[in-house]
Amino acid sequence: YEIAPETFRIPAILTAITCLCALGTRLRVKYVYDTELHALLLQVVVVGNPGDGKSFTRPIVKNLLAPLILRDQELRRQEQAYNDLKKTAAKNKQLPEEPITDVRCLQNITRAKLVKRADMFIRKYGEPLAFMLFSEELSTMSEGNKKAYSDLRTIGRLAYDLGASFSTDTNSSESYCAMVDIIWCSLYCSTPAALDEYMDKRSIEGGNVTRHVIADLGDLMGDDAPVFQQITPEQQKLLQQTVDQLMHETYTEDGTIQPIHEVPMDWLDNAVKGWCQEQRDQVLKTGSRALNCFYKRSSVSAFRMATLCYHLWGEPDDENVRRSVCRFYCFMASYILNGLMTRWGK
């Protein structure tokens, strides 16, 4: 927030929070309107016209996800070594077991490969972990492949919540058959036209849009190119401590994963109920079906963000901290709702 130009501050915050939520994949929280625990899963789209500076997301992602990206690179090398061995080994030679890897940072991926990677989590740890999907251009996620777009949208609806299983069961030798819980945090950069292509009428009616947070850069015609300040050593140290904390809360030194940690957020329940009631009052006054549809998951996404902030603050029983987190929840819930209503309210 401190280093970003004013127009980019909220999008920069959302970019960072998405990365940190992906790192905090072992965190859970009880949402007041649900009986099951939530993982801190976010799906954010940074929207801007070509040349408006959407690539500001890249250094933030690389900085915050550096240890996870490095870990993934090492695991992919293991996969490459095994594939090379398969190609060169004699047909009658007994091969070692395929390495069970847990690669989590993804960009372009097929449905079969995604199911396999999600199943690797279950085979290795017995529980799902959150993927982190990042693309500087949403259109390149499935360039020239409408079926891949459809797969991404379908799985994306399920990936927003824990417990929504996705399965593949085919005769194809190229496929991977399994029933898995696929969960992810996603950060896409998109032009308005690419977002409209991705969120077609079926996606709007199917609920894809309600799961997304729209960080719109707005109309920057005639503005100077955005200039971000350099991160100071003190700021970088704090960021590194935060990333290290979340990595430590996910992985153990002996190659397993940490137990689930439930963040106590029941103190925020009344604020959530109050904000949601305000939206229901507006629904009754305006008769807006869009508002009635959009406010519910706007609250959920904002609540997940607030949970991360409270956890990183140390979960203190401190009135000032809780008041700040409550204000953050209310601001983000309204921001998300306004973004959805502006783009798809009609």
Side-chain angles (χ1 to χ4, degrees):
Y1 180 86
E2 294 177 353
I3 70 170
E6 184 175 355
T7 305
F8 288 75
R9 285 178 176 174
I10 302 306
I13 288 173
L14 290 170
T15 298
I17 287 178
T18 305
C19 296
L20 295 175
C21 281
L23 290 174
T25 187
R26 301 300 286 161
L27 299 177
R28 299 289 184 271
V29 67
K30 173 70 169 61
Y31 184 62
V32 62
Y33 292 115
D34 284 330
T35 56
E36 297 181 346
L37 293 177
H38 284 223
L40 306 189
L41 305 171
L42 297 175
Q43 299 181 8
V44 174
V45 183
V46 177
V47 183
N49 291 311
D52 275 356
K54 298 184 293 298
S55 60
F56 79 89
T57 55
R58 187 195 312 133
I60 298 176
V61 171
K62 286 186 174 181
N63 191 9
L64 295 180
L65 296 182
L68 195 61
I69 292 171
L70 179 61
R71 190 175 187 276
D72 282 359
Q73 288 174 344
E74 294 173 351
L75 294 172
R76 283 191 169 99
R77 290 192 189 100
Q78 294 179 22
E79 295 175 346
Q80 290 167 356
Y82 181 79
N83 289 332
D84 290 343
L85 180 62
K86 281 203 310 182
K87 292 176 183 177
T88 58
K91 290 185 178 180
N92 59 351
K93 183 178 179 180
Q94 184 69 31
L95 290 173
E97 290 290 326
E98 181 180 4
I100 301 177
T101 56
D102 55 315
V103 173
R104 295 178 52 202
C105 294
L106 307 176
Q107 188 173 13
N108 291 354
I109 190 166
T110 64
R111 180 177 65 178
K113 188 68 173 182
L114 181 62
V115 170
K116 181 176 182 178
R117 291 216 178 277
D119 194 41
M120 289 290 190
F121 298 152
I122 307 302
R123 292 169 60 187
K124 189 168 186 175
Y125 302 123
E127 298 182 61
L129 299 178
F131 291 110
M132 175 64 197
L133 274 64
F134 172 62
S135 177
E136 291 187 56
E137 288 295 342
L138 175 60
S139 59
T140 65
M141 293 289 290
S142 307
E143 193 76 48
N145 189 338
K146 292 185 178 180
K147 184 178 185 302
Y149 246 15
S150 177
D151 290 342
L152 190 66
R153 287 190 294 250
T154 300
I155 300 175
R157 288 196 291 270
L158 302 175
Y160 183 78
D161 291 303
L162 281 168
S165 296
F166 183 84
S167 66
T168 56
D169 195 4
T170 70
N171 287 325
S172 171
S173 60
E174 300 298 320
S175 187
Y176 185 93
C177 298
M179 178 177 288
V180 291
D181 186 3
I182 299 175
I183 56 175
W184 69 47
C185 290
S186 61
L187 176 65
Y188 305 140
C189 298
S190 176
T191 61
L195 182 59
D196 289 339
E197 181 183 358
Y198 179 66
M199 294 295 183
D200 58 12
K201 184 176 181 181
R202 182 175 297 180
S203 298
I204 296 172
E205 293 178 348
N208 284 79
V209 296
T210 66
R211 293 163 170 83
H212 281 77
V213 178
I214 304 301
D216 200 325
L217 299 180
D219 187 357
L220 302 180
M221 179 176 287
D223 287 8
D224 287 337
V227 178
F228 283 68
Q229 300 176 25
Q230 290 292 323
I231 296 178
T232 66
E234 293 76 16
Q235 291 170 333
Q236 182 59 41
K237 182 179 179 181
L238 178 59
L239 288 174
Q240 191 60 52
Q241 289 173 347
T242 301
V243 170
D244 290 345
Q245 172 190 337
L246 293 172
M247 287 292 288
H248 177 72
E249 292 172 352
T250 300
Y251 300 104
T252 64
E253 294 182 358
D254 61 358
T256 59
I257 55 174
Q258 299 282 8
I260 290 294
H261 172 71
E262 183 177 350
V263 182
M265 292 295 289
D266 55 327
W267 55 269
L268 192 57
D269 286 354
N270 287 335
V272 174
K273 292 179 180 178
W275 187 87
C276 290
Q277 185 58 53
E278 289 178 6
Q279 310 317 311
R280 285 191 290 272
D281 291 343
Q282 286 298 313
V283 169
L284 294 175
K285 290 178 181 178
T286 62
S288 172
R289 294 189 180 275
L291 179 60
N292 187 58
C293 176
F294 291 157
Y295 86 84
K296 299 167 188 175
R297 286 202 177 97
S298 298
S299 174
V300 170
S301 295
F303 183 78
R304 292 175 178 179
M305 295 180 194
T307 299
L308 175 77
C309 292
Y310 186 62
H311 174 69
L312 294 180
W313 236 317
E315 303 177 13
D317 185 9
D318 182 289
E319 191 61 32
N320 290 328
V321 170
R322 291 184 172 183
R323 187 180 300 113
S324 295
V325 173
C326 181
R327 290 175 59 195
F328 182 74
Y329 159 78
C330 292
F331 172 85
M332 277 301 178
S334 297
Y335 177 91
I336 297 167
L337 178 59
N338 290 339
L340 294 175
M341 289 295 293
T342 298
R343 183 157 293 276
W344 292 297
K346 293 182 180 180

